[in-house]
Amino acid sequence: MIAFAGALGLLLLAPAALAQQGDPQRPRMRSALEQAEAGRFDAAAATSLAAHPLYAWVEYADLRRRIETVPAAQALAFLRRHDGQAVAEVLRAAWLPALARRQDWPNFLAAWQPTSNKILKCAELNARQATGKADAQWVGEAQAMWRSGESLPDTCDPVFQILEYKKELPATLRWERVTLAAAEGQPGVMRSAARGLPGDDLALVTDYAAFLDSVHMRALSWPKTALSREVAMRGLMTLAKADPDAAERQLPLFANALGMDERQRGNVLYEAALWTVASYLPDSARRLAAVPRSVYDERLHEWQVREAMARGDWPAALAAVRRMPPVQREDSRWRYFEGRLAEKTGDKPAATRLLREAAQSATFHGFLAADRLDLPYALCPLTPNDSAQARALVARDPALVRAMGLWNIDRVAWATREWNDALSRFDDAQRRIAVGIARDNGWFDRAVFSLGKSPDDMRLYELRFPLHHDAAIRREAARRAIDPAWVAAEIRAESIFNPRARSGANAMGLMQVLPGTGAATARSLGMPWSGAASLYDPDTNIALGTAYLRQMLDKYAQPYFAIAAYNAGPAPTARWQSQRPGFEPDFWIETISYKETREYVARILAFSVIYDWRLNGKVVPVSERMLGRRDGKRKGFSCPAQPPPAS
């Protein structure tokens, strides 16, 4: 572990060490923040913290707490004092809406900085209009806001009312927004934009919008214009998602009446095929064949392969792979399946060549290809040799110092703002060093969210695949007789080793265990259960999560079924098993209906290989691993002479 002298060393200690030897003012800083957030901030009592790197965030918390009444002079002084820092932009984003609500336009303009936020941009236009600055430039910017097919925030309504009053919303602009809204599938925006059009035009737009809501036969008498055809296409595409049969029946009527071209017809047929094949319904192959090739994209090419695989039609699946665009076909996934399908159709030389190419990739499908040819796995780890001077320079960056400090007092959103500010100035090597600093502070997900700009980033396996709580992982895996690399892979996929992680579905902790699942698992094992909050304890979470994996494995027998069930639940997994009984594991995984689960299973199995390498050196082959066999010959790694970027 790298360490620097003095204050820099505090950043680079392991999390446990940080708790004991880190910033001695951290408890006071946390307390000051909590007091400020609760409205009990006492600036006089906090003077001893004023020089602390995080003190500006205490001030911010105080200002944010009383954002509706904070004096303009105080807020503007804060913005000037911290200009260029993340904390100033966070306050600005909170204070500008407060100024707009109380229509304090002079101070709004004094604090204004350009932004892509449409709410604030329309508020700024309101501010300029209210202060007598609605000049020709104002009109141009307001019209630019109007030129959108999306629903815009309420703060834009006064801007458009002024445009209308100034007669700066001619029919051409109204039609422009109607057309853009039709392309976005926004009938409400179409109706709003059409107000002010002549009666016949207004009636036509209203009928267009109604068609997007629900296909109707009045459209057969629409004028044969480009917009009529686009609206018909969009409405039928929406219908195709809900009722592919109805869309397919009605398409010829509207296509002939309005003169829809191949692209427009094809887009409707595309949606009908996609929403049929995603459930492997009987008409899937016919509908896929009906879509014009000019409309095919990567998504539909993949589904055509899967549909043929699901029927066991290996020649059709192979032909579908070979129709893919070159870049898609060269991906390790499709190189592998082209090789497998060549095997299935008796072309062994082509199969060997294709599998050998796929095996050059450190991916799930690359590992599978290597197994079929009995090759070592392609892995080219990169261990950077950054100088102490370079590391010290990055560690001293003020924004990075603040990011680590905020992370260590559980202010993750603020820490992320400071992190992004720091990385915006870093080159590839500095960004990599920063990720290492974050890793040493227990902030492991920075490797996932901040690496990838450089081809070599993907080879930084020690950063991208952290090993933390490994004693608990080994202990609980041994207790439940499952592979510890699988447990580590689940943690990496579910939380990236953040014990405080919580999902929108209320899954909690390292292995993202739902409270109900945790309680039921604890009860079935006779383990103590002290409530949902206990899932934030790493040992408890790993114990319950690993026990739940064991239950899944007992239920489904094969790890790849259990992994699918862990992600998608028992009902979809049972459906997929019944649809394709006896399928080989690689084909079964690839024909899972849900994209998230299909990729999740592949990701967990690939991650398990990486973690097996990190834990043990040589690894259980993935083709054995996904069947639950761990006692055979282990496999080594080699670095190809010209390694492709690993993923």
Side-chain angles (χ1 to χ4, degrees), residues 46-250:
T47 53
S48 63
L49 293 174
H52 194 281
L54 303 186
Y55 186 71
W57 287 98
V58 176
E59 293 182 282
Y60 162 77
D62 173 55
L63 294 171
R64 183 67 181 85
R65 178 73 169 69
R66 48 194 180 92
I67 198 71
E68 299 295 340
T69 59
V70 64
Q74 186 178 6
L76 286 169
F78 181 91
L79 293 176
R80 284 193 297 270
R81 193 164 64 251
H82 301 291
D83 184 42
Q85 295 181 22
V87 70
E89 297 317 306
V90 173
L91 178 69
R92 195 188 314 276
W95 193 45
L96 286 173
L99 290 171
R101 285 190 290 272
R102 58 184 186 248
Q103 298 188 3
D104 185 349
W105 302 124
N107 282 313
F108 184 100
L109 293 173
W112 171 256
Q113 285 189 358
T115 175
S116 59
N117 184 304
K118 292 180 179 180
I119 295 175
L120 293 181
K121 177 57 184 174
C122 281
E124 188 259 353
L125 289 168
N126 285 325
R128 284 160 60 191
Q129 189 278 327
T131 54
K133 299 174 184 175
D135 52 13
Q137 182 178 346
W138 184 96
V139 170
E141 292 178 24
Q143 289 177 333
M145 292 296 297
W146 171 268
R147 290 185 175 93
S148 169
E150 300 175 351
S151 179
L152 294 169
D154 292 345
T155 52
C156 296
D157 291 346
V159 174
F160 299 151
Q161 289 166 8
I162 296 297
L163 280 178
E164 191 164 15
Y165 174 78
K166 288 175 171 286
K167 302 189 185 306
E168 297 288 358
L169 281 181
T172 53
L173 266 182
R174 292 186 181 278
W175 276 110
E176 186 174 349
R177 189 163 191 217
V178 166
T179 302
L180 291 169
E184 295 285 343
Q186 294 282 344
V189 176
M190 293 173 70
R191 294 184 181 98
S192 175
R195 294 173 193 149
L197 288 174
D200 288 348
D201 288 352
L202 176 60
L204 179 59
V205 174
T206 301
D207 213 37
Y208 283 159
F211 191 88
L212 292 183
D213 286 328
S214 178
V215 169
H216 57 70
M217 293 300 163
R218 297 187 302 277
L220 296 173
S221 60
W222 285 348
K224 293 185 177 182
T225 63
L227 182 56
S228 292
R229 290 187 282 273
E230 285 295 306
V231 171
M233 179 192 75
R234 293 290 170 185
L236 288 167
M237 287 171 66
T238 300
L239 176 63
K241 296 176 184 180
D243 190 344
D245 292 335
E248 190 178 49
R249 285 196 309 272
Q250 296 185 38

Side-chain angles (χ1 to χ4, degrees), residues 186-521:
Q186 294 282 344
V189 176
M190 293 173 70
R191 294 184 181 98
S192 175
R195 294 173 193 149
L197 288 174
D200 288 348
D201 288 352
L202 176 60
L204 179 59
V205 174
T206 301
D207 213 37
Y208 283 159
F211 191 88
L212 292 183
D213 286 328
S214 178
V215 169
H216 57 70
M217 293 300 163
R218 297 187 302 277
L220 296 173
S221 60
W222 285 348
K224 293 185 177 182
T225 63
L227 182 56
S228 292
R229 290 187 282 273
E230 285 295 306
V231 171
M233 179 192 75
R234 293 290 170 185
L236 288 167
M237 287 171 66
T238 300
L239 176 63
K241 296 176 184 180
D243 190 344
D245 292 335
E248 190 178 49
R249 285 196 309 272
Q250 296 185 38
L251 173 61
L253 298 175
F254 296 104
N256 294 333
L258 299 173
M260 294 170 67
D261 61 23
E262 181 181 82
R263 177 188 66 85
Q264 292 159 340
R265 295 171 185 248
N267 282 337
V268 177
L269 294 172
Y270 175 106
E271 294 295 340
L274 182 65
W275 290 89
T276 303
V277 71
S279 298
Y280 297 112
L281 296 176
D283 263 352
S284 296
R286 180 186 64 78
R287 285 198 170 132
L288 285 165
V291 179
R293 287 292 154 191
S294 59
V295 179
Y296 261 69
D297 59 6
E298 290 191 357
R299 189 180 186 190
L300 210 62
H301 277 296
E302 290 187 1
W303 274 111
Q304 189 164 48
V305 177
R306 290 190 193 101
E307 189 280 332
M309 286 180 179
R311 290 186 288 108
D313 188 340
W314 312 125
L318 180 59
V321 172
R322 290 176 173 167
R323 282 193 293 268
M324 288 178 164
V327 172
Q328 183 181 19
R329 185 179 169 190
E330 289 166 7
D331 181 81
S332 64
R333 175 195 300 261
W334 300 114
R335 269 289 183 259
Y336 169 76
F337 278 113
E338 187 176 355
R340 285 285 279 128
L341 293 164
E343 280 183 341
K344 292 283 190 182
T345 53
D347 190 348
K348 187 172 182 179
T352 300
R353 174 180 58 80
L354 291 161
L355 292 171
R356 190 174 295 276
E357 291 174 9
Q360 300 298 297
S361 174
T363 62
F364 173 57
H365 297 95
F367 297 153
L368 285 175
D371 284 354
R372 296 200 74 79
L373 298 179
D374 197 24
L375 295 173
Y377 290 154
L379 199 73
C380 296
L382 178 64
T383 303
N385 187 26
D386 301 305
S387 69
Q389 183 179 8
R391 296 192 295 267
L393 182 65
V394 172
R396 280 198 300 267
D397 182 87
L400 190 64
V401 170
R402 292 190 293 268
M404 295 302 105
L406 290 165
W407 165 258
N408 280 304
I409 57 172
D410 304 320
R411 297 302 191 276
V412 179
W414 299 351
T416 302
R417 292 296 294 261
E418 293 281 14
W419 172 269
N420 291 338
D421 182 32
L423 261 65
S424 70
R425 299 184 298 277
F426 290 168
D427 61 22
D428 289 345
Q430 291 170 322
R431 186 178 65 252
R432 184 178 65 236
I433 292 168
V435 168
I437 291 171
R439 183 267 315 274
D440 294 336
N441 277 266
W443 197 2
F444 300 115
D445 70 10
R446 296 302 87 190
V448 175
F449 296 122
S450 305
L451 295 177
K453 298 181 185 297
S454 163
D456 282 340
D457 282 356
M458 304 308 287
R459 296 171 56 201
L460 299 169
Y461 291 103
E462 290 191 9
L463 287 177
R464 294 177 53 235
F465 293 89
L467 257 182
H468 203 49
H469 309 295
D470 54 312
I473 290 170
R474 290 179 188 272
R475 180 185 67 245
E476 296 303 326
R479 180 176 295 171
R480 305 301 170 194
I482 64 174
D483 185 358
W486 178 14
V487 179
E490 290 284 354
I491 295 172
R492 167 63 164 73
E494 293 287 348
S495 69
I496 319 178
F497 284 82
N498 178 7
R500 301 187 295 264
R502 184 171 183 172
S503 76
N506 201 34
M508 300 167 68
L510 290 169
M511 298 186 73
Q512 290 291 275
V513 179
L514 290 166
T517 301
T521 304

